[in-house]
Amino acid sequence: MTFSLFVEQVFNGLQLGMLLFLVAVGVTLVFGVMNLVNLSQGALVMMGGFLLATATKATSSYWLGLPLGIAALIVIAMLIELLVLRRLYARPHIDQVLATFGLMLMFNEGAVMIWGRDPVFMAIPAALEGSVTLLPGVAYPIYRLAVTIFAGALGVALHFLISRTRLGMLIRAGADKREMIQLLGVDIAFLYLMVFCLGGVLGGVAGMLLGPISAVTTGMGDPILILALVCVVIGGLGSVGGAFVAAMLVGMCDTFGRVLLPQALGAGTGQAIANMIVYLVMAAILIWRPAGLASR
Amino acid sequence: MNPMFRNTILVALAAIFAAAPWALDEFSLNLVTRMLIFGIAAMGVDLLVGFAGLVPLGHAAFLGLGAYAAGILTDMGLESAFVVWPLAIMVGALGAAIIGGLSLRSSGLYFIMITLAFAQMIYYVFQSLRAYGGDDGFALTRNTFAGLIDPYDSRAFYFLTLAITLVIFLLLLRVVASPFGVALRAARDNEARLAAVGLPAFGYRLVAFILSGALCAFAGVLLANLTGYITPGYGSWPQSGELLMMVLLGTAGTIWGGLLGAAIFVALSEVLSEVSDHWMFYLGLLIVLRVLLAGGETTKLLKRLDPRRRADG
Amino acid sequence: MVEAALAARSLSKRFGSLLVTDDVSIELRAGEALGLIGPNGAGKSTLIAQLAGRLPPDSGQVLLEGRDVSALPAHARARAGLVQSFQVPSLFSSFSTLANVAIAAQAAHRHSYSFLRRADRAREYVEPARALIEEVGLSHCADRNVGALSHGERRYVELAVALAARPKALLLDEPLAGLSRAESERMIAFIGKLKKRYAILLVEHDMEAVFSLADSLCVLVQGRIIARGAPAALRADPAVIEAYLGDDASSGGAHA
């Protein structure tokens, strides 16, 4: 592997890791605060992609489409919480799994009904076209770099939100002390709505960022959801920091596995193991720490 | 249920199932066979959901393991079902032993996600088997029965599946009422107390996991033989979700619930896909509504409070 | 010297900076009841958890009939004969009374990897369970779901479950908690009968009960045993009165 390829792959790994983090953080927050497993997060990733594509087309501007798309995402996330999830918090896990699985089917097929089965391609916004030279001889697409930086910025903002604000304080307390929040006189229903919208929008934004990189298709969120669930499991359920570390680990393992393993082991075997590498890493970590990295 | 009433129902059911091959065309008969096959898998999943209180979201992996093992062994020149099927079921059981051993160190939501992730890993293994069609899968020559049964005769295959289903059903009824089954349910109710009287939950759960994995593998073997085709889709995670739905559509915690739920699910998918191209949407909607309206908790609560329904069938 | 049925040697346990068990050593012999008293928060339940193996001590040993069981997990200790009953009845909620006791009797056998016989027709589980249920006076609700029992009845089931596990040493964590006066008296008489069969560690708030049942007493305050001896002697000990009895008397909880 040449040095320039190595640098490029590090950036690709970072990018995948950041996007996974955005999706995983939604799952882990919803689990930590509401004790709910949400399989519909993948649907929100997909909806993010479709909504941005549609809004961009309608307004003929990516930069107008973006806020419109996010606004639509918020509405959808609120509807999901108010109509379905709200009734599931006290339910057994199997009910949560099935209802959110049902939601996922509805969204995936609903997207087919609205946008059809063909992938929708999105152009990279003009301002972000082209490449930059990271190091002499290493060119990297500006859009991909911008995605990583933007996702990273969101991550930092989230960190401050959780560590410095009242909402963040409630989120942190929520994972440990449900009763305490109620004693503080906080409207739990509203807090839950906020947390779900926050997590859902972050997942949707990940889908928006992905749109111009891979095409927008129905079911595009499903494989991302599963990788995000792996991050949540590795990181430790409910832990945002753990999810971040795990997402980076998964992003890097997946990216480098796909480049290095076919070279090392031949196309067939290498490809096969590259597909599984993330799960092998997960199994190894779980043998070492059954409750994830964040557990003591 | 009063025994008179129960016996009447049983006789009626037996008559219906016995008459089915003559009353139905081949397509419908295969549909009923499919119901039975998924019934076997759903009974296996229900052993975990209803009796061990564990929710696995990766049992399609064992369906796939059974199907692939059967397909590959057959491809290697072994034809007889008497050889291939037990081996394929053992492959499923072995996979379940490994995955169960790792997943059962956790519980609750963690268990759900870990089983999903492991199943996904197996799914990618199927996908990467280039020699067996990769993503597209491969055709299976049906296994033979030493001349006793014609594997291409739909009626014969139906009766074979019916007999297998019945035997498994009866065996499972015994198993959940056995000391093992009681320990499993006790671990579901109160793991700490079970340990405090001297029984560790882990081993019982692991055995249940292996049993349910083996049952799903058996279903995979049968399904591969029924359709004559094997794809990675057998082990996909939507398939795992569907297995859970079958358990929910029946009554979790009763063995017959698995059979009933599988029958409802297969019928429902069939009807919906006749009506609309977008049947997955309506299926999703039905599941959401079923969960929200039926209130799983109420059913469970009723069952807990009514000692007569605490029973084992 | 007769070997102690159950002994703890220098158990210590820290939660952060709080020393909840401070160098505690106890010993009880078969046929003897040791009362463990102390104010709320003294560390009685934490001590029981360490003896039963639900909580690992930071240091110290637990010996059952002279054998070091410190390294064994809870289920292995239970199987070796160190069984506890819980302060809040901890039952198998979907089971009948009989099934609750029978599963403990089943656990007392080597294992439960038996798949094809019916557990509810296994005489070696069901008969001892029925006998115990009769002994605690609950035969009339043997087939009722435990969720449908009164608190007092559940207390007796709780005890029967522990007994069905065939203990050598029995750890009773506040067996009288929440019982009415009449129920308490019956329970005290019942535990009095049990004394002959097992070595009993009795944690209890009801002073009258402890003084009448225990052969000797330990007073636990802030994780330390501050006094031990015969009940009559301790009743007069000024340190005990100040640390415990006084405290409890002022809150109106003690009958002593």
Side-chain angles (χ1 to χ4, degrees):
Chain A
M1 176 183 256
T2 63
F3 181 65
S4 63
L5 182 63
F6 174 76
V7 173
E8 193 187 329
Q9 293 309 324
V10 169
F11 275 88
N12 284 344
L14 261 181
Q15 181 210 307
L16 177 60
M18 289 310 307
L19 288 175
L20 283 177
F21 172 65
L22 291 185
V23 182
V25 85
V27 176
T28 216
L29 278 179
V30 167
F31 174 77
V33 180
M34 288 97 107
N35 196 17
L36 175 113
V37 66
N38 174 28
L39 297 179
S40 67
Q41 178 80 342
L44 285 162
V45 173
M46 174 196 73
M47 289 308 286
F50 276 119
L51 289 172
L52 178 61
T54 305
T56 301
K57 207 170 165 192
T59 59
S60 314
S61 158
Y62 179 87
W63 304 107
L64 276 178
L66 200 58
L68 274 177
I70 290 178
L73 260 180
I74 294 175
V75 172
I76 290 176
M78 286 177 96
L79 285 177
I80 293 179
E81 207 276 345
L82 291 172
L83 293 178
V84 183
L85 297 196
R86 174 153 294 190
R87 295 153 212 270
L88 295 176
Y89 295 137
R91 288 290 193 83
H93 294 147
I94 187 169
D95 286 2
Q96 301 178 351
V97 167
L98 282 174
T100 56
F101 183 76
L103 279 175
M104 187 202 78
L105 293 182
M106 286 175 70
F107 274 99
N108 279 350
E109 199 59 35
V112 172
M113 288 154 82
I114 298 171
W115 289 287
R117 284 187 203 279
D118 295 330
V120 174
F121 292 96
M122 279 179 71
I124 290 172
L128 300 175
E129 270 174 27
S131 312
V132 279
T133 308
L134 292 172
L135 289 167
V138 185
Y140 197 76
I142 293 179
Y143 181 75
R144 282 174 167 263
L145 200 61
V147 162
T148 311
I149 292 170
F150 181 64
L154 277 180
V156 172
L158 186 71
H159 173 73
F160 278 103
L161 177 78
I162 290 177
S163 62
R164 298 288 161 81
T165 66
R166 183 173 157 79
L167 177 64
M169 187 270 286
L170 293 172
I171 289 175
R172 275 180 288 134
D176 310 326
K177 297 194 174 67
R178 218 167 299 271
E179 303 83 8
M180 196 192 82
I181 300 186
Q182 262 149 345
L183 286 176
L184 285 175
V186 173
D187 182 353
I188 287 271
F190 185 69
L191 173 69
Y192 285 4
L193 181 63
M194 286 294 100
V195 171
F196 183 76
C197 283
L198 177 67
V201 167
L202 288 175
V205 166
M208 292 179 165
L209 297 176
L210 260 174
I213 299 175
S214 64
V216 180
T217 56
T218 53
M220 71 181 271
D222 300 356
I224 299 172
L225 169 72
I226 295 192
L227 278 184
L229 290 180
V230 169
C231 295
V232 171
V233 166
I234 293 179
L237 269 176
S239 161
V240 174
F244 178 78
V245 173
M248 285 302 140
L249 184 70
V250 168
M252 288 296 170
C253 286
D254 192 62
T255 306
F256 277 92
R258 282 177 204 289
V259 179
L260 293 178
L261 289 171
Q263 285 176 10
L265 303 169
T269 324
Q271 201 65 54
I273 297 182
N275 276 332
M276 294 161 52
I277 185 89
V278 167
Y279 304 99
L280 292 173
V281 168
M282 182 193 78
I285 288 177
L286 288 178
I287 290 170
W288 172 46
R289 277 193 182 172
L293 293 174
S295 66
R296 261 141 276 143
Chain B
M1 208 184 292
N2 101 38
M4 187 68 189
F5 181 56
R6 191 182 62 191
N7 292 342
T8 318
I9 288 187
L10 285 179
V11 169
L13 274 178
I16 290 171
F17 277 107
W22 288 275
L24 299 172
D25 59 30
E26 178 147 339
F27 176 81
S28 309
L29 187 63
N30 281 346
L31 203 64
V32 176
T33 311
R34 231 180 141 73
M35 288 176 177
L36 293 172
I37 293 173
F38 276 109
I40 293 173
M43 286 191 287
V45 174
D46 192 24
L47 189 62
L48 285 183
V49 175
F51 294 90
L54 297 161
V55 182
L57 190 48
H59 260 46
F62 306 117
L63 204 75
L65 273 179
Y68 269 82
I72 292 170
L73 288 168
T74 308
D75 187 66
M76 284 161 65
L78 296 168
E79 284 174 353
S80 167
F82 298 116
V83 179
V84 170
W85 291 16
L87 283 176
I89 293 165
M90 275 163 64
V91 169
L94 188 68
I98 296 168
I99 292 178
L102 284 168
S103 323
L104 285 168
R105 286 150 51 101
S106 59
S107 60
L109 291 175
Y110 228 76
F111 178 81
I112 296 173
M113 295 193 195
I114 292 171
T115 48
L116 169 61
F118 279 122
Q120 204 61 15
M121 179 164 133
I122 290 181
Y123 172 75
Y124 284 122
V125 175
F126 296 152
Q127 245 190 3
S128 66
L129 294 173
R130 296 265 170 87
Y132 294 98
D135 234 351
D136 300 325
F138 62 111
L140 163 108
T141 326
R142 294 188 181 189
N143 296 114
T144 55
F145 299 87
L148 296 173
I149 301 169
D150 174 6
Y152 288 90
D153 177 349
S154 294
R155 279 183 191 167
F157 195 75
Y158 162 81
F159 277 120
L160 177 68
T161 309
L162 182 63
I164 292 170
T165 309
L166 206 61
V167 169
I168 289 174
F169 174 72
L170 294 173
L171 279 177
L172 279 177
L173 280 185
R174 293 304 288 264
V175 166
V176 297
S178 71
F180 166 79
V182 173
L184 197 62
R185 282 182 283 142
R188 172 197 65 194
D189 280 6
N190 194 340
E191 180 178 357
R193 186 61 201 254
L194 190 63
V197 294
L199 284 183
F202 182 85
Y204 300 93
R205 289 182 175 154
L206 182 59
V207 171
F209 198 98
I210 294 170
L211 271 178
S212 78
L215 288 176
C216 285
F218 203 166
V221 172
L222 291 168
L223 204 56
N225 270 276
L226 175 72
T227 60
Y229 209 81
I230 298 164
T231 71
Y234 278 53
S236 69
W237 79 278
Q239 180 67 67
S240 295
E242 287 177 9
L243 288 175
L244 281 184
M245 273 179 232
M246 294 174 193
V247 172
L248 180 89
L249 285 173
T251 311
T254 58
I255 292 298
W256 54 263
L259 281 179
L260 181 68
I264 296 174
F265 183 84
V266 172
L268 200 64
S269 317
E270 194 57 38
V271 170
L272 283 176
S273 61
E274 293 278 318
V275 174
S276 163
D277 280 349
H278 302 296
W279 63 280
M280 291 289 266
F281 179 86
Y282 301 103
L283 182 65
L285 184 64
L286 277 176
I287 295 159
V288 173
L289 290 178
R290 151 85 199 174
V291 172
L292 291 187
L293 299 181
E297 267 193 324
T298 350
T299 19
K300 267 189 197 134
L301 198 69
L302 284 176
K303 229 168 62 188
R304 292 239 159 128
L305 292 182
D306 181 352
R308 280 160 308 169
R309 292 179 61 192
R310 129 193 79 80
D312 319 311
Chain C
M1 184 191 134
V2 191
E3 186 135 61
L6 175 68
R9 302 253 166 89
S10 305
L11 285 179
S12 289
K13 178 77 189 174
R14 217 173 244 294
F15 286 143
S17 62
L18 188 67
L19 198 55
V20 285
T21 305
D22 185 1
D23 194 27
V24 169
S25 297
I26 55 167
E27 224 179 78
L28 62 152
R29 271 176 267 283
E32 180 187 278
L34 174 66
L36 182 68
I37 59 174
N40 284 325
K44 300 184 298 280
S45 288
T46 322
L47 180 61
I48 293 235
Q50 290 170 72
L51 292 172
R54 285 182 291 116
L55 186 72
D58 296 336
S59 61
Q61 287 176 310
V62 179
L63 303 168
L64 185 66
E65 295 184 326
R67 172 182 165 217
D68 188 352
V69 295
S70 310
L72 298 182
H75 68 85
R77 290 191 201 190
R79 190 161 291 175
L82 178 49
V83 178
Q84 85 160 106
S85 83
F86 290 79
Q87 190 180 344
V88 178
S90 172
L91 302 172
F92 304 102
S93 51
S94 69
F95 286 20
S96 68
T97 302
L98 180 63
N100 263 278
V101 184
I103 177 74
Q106 180 181 320
H109 288 75
R110 241 163 27 85
H111 62 74
S112 296
Y113 292 108
S114 162
F115 297 88
L116 294 177
R117 47 198 290 253
R118 290 192 53 156
D120 60 357
R121 293 195 191 146
R123 297 177 58 186
E124 71 272 36
Y125 308 153
V126 177
E127 280 178 4
R130 279 207 187 280
L132 275 167
I133 288 172
E134 193 181 336
E135 204 178 338
V136 297
L138 289 179
S139 294
H140 59 287
C141 39
D143 295 319
R144 242 192 285 162
N145 183 282
V146 284
L149 302 187
S150 72
H151 174 78
E153 289 166 334
R154 287 161 64 84
R155 271 249 152 269
Y156 280 100
V157 181
E158 169 68 39
L159 193 57
V161 169
L163 294 177
R166 290 202 206 147
K168 289 168 180 157
L170 193 55
L171 311 172
L172 300 180
D173 195 352
E174 300 197 22
L176 303 181
L179 292 188
S180 71
R181 185 104 204 163
E183 285 171 329
S184 283
E185 271 161 22
R186 207 160 69 80
M187 182 65 96
I188 291 168
F190 184 65
I191 295 172
K193 278 196 290 177
L194 293 181
K195 259 174 66 174
K196 297 182 196 81
R197 308 205 297 235
Y198 313 102
I200 294 179
L201 179 69
L202 175 68
V203 173
E204 187 44 65
H205 264 302
D206 186 326
M207 287 305 114
E208 217 169 323
V210 179
F211 282 107
S212 73
L213 283 171
D215 301 299
S216 59
L217 281 181
C218 287
V219 183
L220 194 70
V221 175
Q222 289 176 359
R224 288 181 63 87
I225 293 184
I226 60 156
R228 60 175 93 212
L234 284 187
R235 206 192 281 258
D237 187 325
V240 175
I241 292 168
E242 192 204 344
Y244 180 53
L245 298 179
D247 172 80
D248 224 52
S250 64
S251 68
H255 309 293

